[in-house]
Amino acid sequence: MHFDSRAVEGIVRYEQGAFCLSSNTILHKLLAQVWQGLGNNARARVLQVNKVLPAGLKSAVKDAVLQQKLDGAILRILASPPGLIPDDDTLQQLTTGWGNEGYSAPLRYLREVARQVLSVNGSVLECGTGVTTILMGLLGGRRGVTIWSLEHDATWHARVGDVLRRYHISGVELCLAPIKDNGRFGWYTPPLEKMPKTFDLVICDGPPQQTTLGGRYGLLPEMKSWLTNGSLILMDDAIPQSKTIQRWKEDFGVAVELIDDREHTFAMIRPQ
């Protein structure tokens, strides 16, 4: 059996469980040898390849597959009409391609993030970065909406920045903002002198609950004066943050709506 002719196209592809690799790479030559004669069952082929390939090559294949998925999702979003919420297939491909397994936001939350960034009129503040940064940059940038994204981890900041530059995603101001503990709670150290004076939307997925005093509580004591009347906070993983939400209710009188789809809960919070 001959190796799929699409293997000469110069990028790693993953379609229906089948690998197609660039013909000018050592990895392609090795896989081509394994691939031939394994039959027509793509899943069986992949399982067999996983048994044969050294761990380092399997890691390279996985990275290339994820990169291809991310490429495809971003191109689909860019090719869609402005103002259109990406469909679930595209959002799933974007999430998978981003590759932060176990931590990336679920589809329902991503749909809501997309819906809000496509309707917001002012600037957006993002606390913690990831796939939402990419999604909002793609959607908001086409509308002239600026996303101010705070990230405390230098390695993660670099990873997100690489993707933004690679795909020329405009509209994201990515800020490396270490977390400072003031004795009552921890919060980012944002470049306030450069930032807008008001935000209409906050996407709150940080700082990390486990390693930050007070979890995400610091958002309101530190940034409430920057939030406009009628502003909205979207908080992912709302149940683990219930202590934060309860404190916000007591200290700031926020109105909270929990969106629960049995597998995941996020909150829509409106400061008063």
Side-chain angles (χ1 to χ4, degrees):
M1 180 175 181
H2 296 292
F3 194 71
D4 194 319
S5 62
R6 290 172 295 176
V8 300
E9 293 181 6
I11 60 174
V12 174
R13 296 181 180 274
Y14 186 70
E15 297 174 359
Q16 298 179 348
F19 289 109
C20 303
L21 301 171
S22 170
S23 60
N24 62 358
T25 64
I26 296 174
L27 185 57
H28 164 259
K29 294 176 182 178
L30 177 60
L31 271 182
Q33 294 174 6
V34 176
W35 206 266
Q36 293 182 12
L38 291 182
N40 296 322
N41 188 313
R43 176 175 173 78
R45 282 179 160 188
V46 172
L47 292 174
Q48 185 64 25
V49 166
N50 283 337
K51 292 179 181 179
V52 174
L53 280 181
L57 289 182
K58 284 190 287 189
S59 177
V61 170
K62 180 180 178 181
D63 290 346
V65 167
L66 294 180
Q67 183 64 60
Q68 188 271 334
K69 286 184 176 291
L70 188 63
D71 289 344
I74 289 175
L75 291 175
R76 286 172 69 178
I77 293 172
L78 290 174
S80 65
L84 182 68
I85 297 176
D87 60 36
D88 283 359
D89 287 344
T90 302
L91 291 176
Q92 184 61 66
Q93 186 175 348
L94 184 71
T95 301
T96 302
W98 179 246
N100 192 27
E101 296 180 20
Y103 295 95
S104 288
L107 295 185
R108 188 172 181 183
Y109 181 71
L110 289 180
R111 285 197 302 270
E112 188 60 36
V113 169
R115 188 174 75 85
Q116 294 296 335
V117 83
L118 286 173
S119 61
V120 71
N121 292 318
S123 298
V124 178
L125 175 64
E126 183 183 33
C127 308
T129 62
V131 68
T132 52
T133 314
I134 308 307
L135 178 62
M136 289 194 294
L138 289 167
L139 299 177
R142 301 168 78 182
R143 301 183 59 237
V145 172
T146 302
I147 318 298
W148 285 81
S149 299
L150 307 180
E151 177 55 55
H152 73 285
D153 185 274
T155 301
W156 198 252
H157 174 272
R159 181 189 175 191
V160 174
D162 285 345
V163 174
L164 295 175
R165 287 187 293 271
R166 183 184 311 132
Y167 297 100
H168 306 286
I169 298 174
S170 62
V172 177
E173 294 288 344
L174 182 62
C175 308
L176 183 60
I179 295 171
K180 183 178 180 180
D181 185 341
N182 67 9
R184 296 185 299 120
F185 55 81
W187 189 247
Y188 299 100
T189 51
L192 295 176
E193 69 284 356
K194 298 179 180 178
M195 296 171 68
K197 299 305 180 185
T198 60
F199 291 97
D200 288 355
L201 175 64
V202 180
I203 306 301
C204 188
D205 194 25
Q209 175 79 4
Q210 294 80 4
T211 57
T212 305
L213 178 64
R216 301 174 191 174
Y217 173 78
L219 169 63
L220 286 185
E222 290 291 328
M223 300 297 298
K224 188 177 186 297
S225 60
W226 272 262
L227 304 185
T228 60
N229 291 331
S231 61
L232 174 67
I233 301 169
L234 285 184
M235 177 182 280
D236 195 17
D237 296 321
I239 293 301
Q241 309 303 328
S242 57
K243 291 183 179 179
T244 293
I245 293 174
Q246 185 60 39
R247 291 180 68 187
W248 282 352
K249 286 181 177 179
E250 295 170 356
D251 296 348
F252 300 98
V254 299
V256 179
E257 178 185 0
L258 292 179
I259 311 298
D260 188 354
D261 62 2
R262 292 178 295 181
E263 295 182 358
H264 191 88
T265 301
F266 65 90
M268 302 177 70
I269 303 168
R270 297 190 181 276
Q272 304 299 304

